[in-house]
Every structure is written in C-alpha cells, then in structure tokens.
Amino acid sequence: VKSGTLYGVGVGPGDPELVTLKALRILQTVPVLAWPAPEEGPSLAREIVAQHLPGTQREIPIRMPLLPAQFPANDVYDKAAREIGAVLAAGDNVAVICEGDPFFYGSFMYLFGRLAGDYPVEVVPGVSSLTACAAALGTPLSAKNDVLTVVPGPLDAETMKQRLADADAAAIIKVGRHLEKIRSVIDELGLGANARYIERATMSEQRIVPLAEVGDDDAPYFSMILVHKRAEVWK
Ligand SMILES: C[S@@+](CC[C@H](N)C(=O)[O-])C[C@H]1O[C@@H](n2cnc3c(N)ncnc32)[C@H](O)[C@@H]1O
C-alpha cells in the first residue's frame, strides 16, 4: 500500500475567515482529522474549523496535560504518533490541525518530529497569532531595520529583560500566568507606554485593554503583549 500523507494544517488565530483556501480544501477532503485539546474540554483548533467540516471524518483527539512540568507530553505524542502512523501506513491521509501556524510554537512539530522520517509530510502554513495580534491592535509589527524578537512568557525575568533591552520590537507570547513578572520587566525598562496587550485576537471574545488595567491573575493563555521602541516610522 502506498502510505498516506500527513498534513500539518495551520487554521489561523481564531476567526474562521482566516483559514486559508488550501487548509479548507484539505480539511474538507481528508478522511482522518486529528486535533489537539486540553485533557478536558473542546479543541480550539477544531472549533475554528468546525463549520467547514463535512461531518464524515474519523477524528483522533490528542489530549494533553497543560501543566508545564509535563510539557512536552512525550507519552501523549508517542501514542498519537502510533495511532496516526497506523492510519498513514494503511494508505489514508491525515490532517493534524493547529491553531495559528504549525511551525510557530505549534504542537504539530512534536508529531512532525516523530513521523516525518517515515511518511510524506506537507505543512500548510496558517495566519499566525503574531500578525493577527498586530493587525487587531492596529500597530505595525516591525519596519525598516527593526529587529523583532519573540519572547516566551515563561522565560526568567533576567533573560526576558535582556532580550527586550536588545530588541527594537518584541512580541511576548504565552503571557497567561506570567503577566505579573512580564509587567515588572517592562516597567523596569521604562517601556510601559510602548506596550500593548491583547487577548484572543480575532476570536469572538477578543479583548484589548491597557496593560496596566489587566489583573495579575486575569490574563488567559491566549494573550500577547507587543512592545516597540521606535517612533512611528510609518507616519
Ligand atoms: C503555543 S503558542 C502557539 C502559537 C500559534 N501556533 C501561532 O502561530 O500563533 C500559543 C501562544 O500564542 C499566542 N496566541 C495564539 N493565538 C492567539 C490569539 N488568537 N490571540 C492572542 N494570542 C494568541 C499566545 O501568546 C499563546 O500563549
């Protein structure tokens, strides 16, 4: 049997209209769909494309623990890779959907790492949260010779401070429960006025509030802070 192809499909940041035509075609024709989800509750990636699905596919949930200590959840990915690998070996195509873009901090890459040596893989890029947040905030991300740095919220304060000090523009991702630390670093660098906060960009519950007004424990996982140090060079 000719083996099936594994598709890593980016489904964009939340707005179902930001799903690409290529992703749509694959999602509507592939016989097996796999989606990441928390241990309990719905899959955000699946919710983004739910209205486009034919309703006839076999679905493989990939449920993973959210505790950082268990991340990346090797057992979960090993098991999912075995299950998906069996489908591919039998000749069927499988699409693994991923919020945003699969290769921008996406969990798809752990399946890619396990399966790409044995099966054909095609990665379909998606609209990333990085560009979606800039668009929703109405702030260009970077211009001219700006060095744009992506800073994960879990970094320790000292490293984060250094990275932000060196950057012209920065996107701080995975804000969530790290908000208090991130805000102190921004304040220490005197960048409070240059930082913009957004949660759930392009989703129906999108919220934009001044960074100073977000409660220490109130930032959801799907939030981002964009910081820039340049003048508004585009004006
Ligand atoms: C594991 S990364 C995945 C990124 C995703 N693959 C992408 O291309 O956007 C998750 C982080 O991306 C950011 N993120 C993803 N979607 C977002 C959205 N709609 N609004 C704001 N931030 C988002 C948040 O910082 C979140 O903690």
Side-chain angles (χ1 to χ4, degrees), residues 12-15 44 48 71 98-107 109 126-133 172-176 198-203 206 220-225:
D15 178 350
L44 175 64
I48 294 171
F71 218 83
C98 182
E99 196 262 343
D101 181 274
F103 275 180
F104 181 71
Y105 298 92
S107 56
M109 65 185 88
V127 174
S128 168
S129 57
L130 194 60
T131 49
C133 288
I172 307 173
I173 63 167
K174 304 184 187 177
V175 176
I198 182 167
E199 49 190 60
R200 303 189 175 97
T202 82
M203 301 176 195
Q206 172 178 303
Y221 177 69
F222 286 102
S223 56
M224 191 180 295
I225 297 170

